Amino acid sequence: MDFFSDFFGMEGGIALFYGIYLLIVWAFGIASYVLRALGMYTIAKRRGIHHPWMSWIPVVDLWVLGCISDQFRYVVKGQTKNRRKWLLVLNIVLTVVYIAFFVLFGVMMVTVISGLISGMKENLLVETMMGSMLGTLACIIPMTVLAITVAVIRYMSMYDLYTSCSPGNNVLFLVLSIFFNVTEPFFVFFIRHKDEGMPPRRPEPETIPRGNPAQWENV
């Protein structure tokens, strides 16, 4: 009886509320991931982008986004860009820096807690903390610069994606994606079958003389 009264009491109600909240957050996160990956995969596969399956893999999925942007710039604007390479390399480096930051932060916390428990001398503890903090700060600066750089190139690429699919809504979609990031997966998913900003497709491969490229140029 006490178990059920505790469970359905105030503490149990709060625990149940947070449990449901976390479940909703996780479900929304998974749904957003699937919608965005499926949208990117569909666009990339239809346009002949190499390795569209990379849309489903975190970190390297920006390669596909960069490819879509590069293809649009080349086919429509006649410009040669390498956003796919920049996005892939910078995002990998950013991920490594993130991991290094959390490792150093974890080491700092363990060192401080261990020092307090073991009764480490105050001056030695302060020196240890300062060294760990400097190492952590050394990661924060490049991490911030890299994060801003990746975000700028990424949103430039998203603008190209929106323009290639739905040019009439490209600015609106981009602004909402920047200020309300949760909307981006839904935009990508709902416009995945559109090519309104792309030139007319070339004939299907079977109607093209041997040796000529089909549809749009692959990236």
Side-chain angles (χ1 to χ4, degrees), residues 84-125:
R84 61 190 184 279
K85 297 179 181 178
W86 283 107
L87 284 173
L88 179 63
V89 173
L90 291 177
N91 206 32
I92 291 176
V93 174
L94 179 61
T95 302
V96 172
V97 175
Y98 269 131
I99 294 173
F101 170 79
F102 284 111
V103 169
L104 287 173
F105 184 78
V107 170
M108 181 184 70
M109 295 301 297
V110 170
T111 302
V112 172
I113 294 173
S114 299
L116 292 173
I117 294 175
S118 62
M120 182 185 297
K121 293 182 179 179
E122 184 176 349
N123 59 340
L124 183 59
L125 180 61

Side-chain angles (χ1 to χ4, degrees), residues 4 57 146:
F4 287 101
I57 304 177
L146 282 170

Side-chain angles (χ1 to χ4, degrees), residues 40 43-44 47 49 62-84 87 152-164 198 219:
M40 294 284 292
I43 295 171
R47 295 183 183 176
I49 299 294
L62 290 188
W63 167 271
V64 179
L65 174 60
C67 287
I68 294 174
S69 174
D70 288 343
Q71 185 190 62
F72 171 77
R73 286 284 161 179
Y74 180 75
V75 174
V76 178
K77 305 292 185 178
Q79 302 172 348
T80 301
K81 300 289 184 178
N82 286 299
R83 288 177 182 168
R84 61 190 184 279
L87 284 173
V152 170
I153 300 176
R154 182 178 177 276
Y155 282 121
M156 290 171 63
S157 300
M158 287 303 304
Y159 177 78
D160 288 341
L161 184 149
Y162 291 146
T163 304
S164 68
M198 296 293 285
V219 175

Side-chain angles (χ1 to χ4, degrees), residues 2 13 17-18 22 44 68 83 97 119 126 128 130 143 145 162:
D2 291 336
F17 171 79
Y18 278 109
L22 291 175
I68 294 174
R83 288 177 182 168
V97 175
V126 171
T128 304
M130 290 299 296
M143 184 170 63
V145 174
Y162 291 146

Side-chain angles (χ1 to χ4, degrees), residues 19-78:
I20 295 175
Y21 172 76
L22 291 175
L23 183 63
I24 293 174
V25 170
W26 274 95
F28 183 80
I30 294 173
S32 298
Y33 173 81
V34 171
L35 289 177
R36 186 180 188 280
L38 180 59
M40 294 284 292
Y41 174 82
T42 303
I43 295 171
K45 186 176 181 181
R46 189 179 67 256
R47 295 183 183 176
I49 299 294
H50 294 311
H51 314 303
W53 51 268
M54 293 174 69
S55 304
W56 295 93
I57 304 177
V59 181
V60 299
D61 60 334
L62 290 188
W63 167 271
V64 179
L65 174 60
C67 287
I68 294 174
S69 174
D70 288 343
Q71 185 190 62
F72 171 77
R73 286 284 161 179
Y74 180 75
V75 174
V76 178
K77 305 292 185 178

Side-chain angles (χ1 to χ4, degrees), residues 114-189:
S114 299
L116 292 173
I117 294 175
S118 62
M120 182 185 297
K121 293 182 179 179
E122 184 176 349
N123 59 340
L124 183 59
L125 180 61
V126 171
E127 291 178 1
T128 304
M129 290 177 60
M130 290 299 296
S132 301
M133 289 177 65
L134 288 174
T136 305
L137 289 174
C139 290
I140 291 179
I141 296 174
M143 184 170 63
T144 303
V145 174
L146 282 170
I148 293 174
T149 304
V150 170
V152 170
I153 300 176
R154 182 178 177 276
Y155 282 121
M156 290 171 63
S157 300
M158 287 303 304
Y159 177 78
D160 288 341
L161 184 149
Y162 291 146
T163 304
S164 68
C165 294
S166 182
N169 299 305
N170 54 359
V171 176
L172 174 63
F173 287 171
L174 181 65
V175 171
L176 290 176
S177 296
I178 293 174
F179 292 101
F180 304 97
N181 192 252
V182 294
T183 62
E184 181 181 300
F186 297 93
F187 293 149
V188 175
F189 178 77

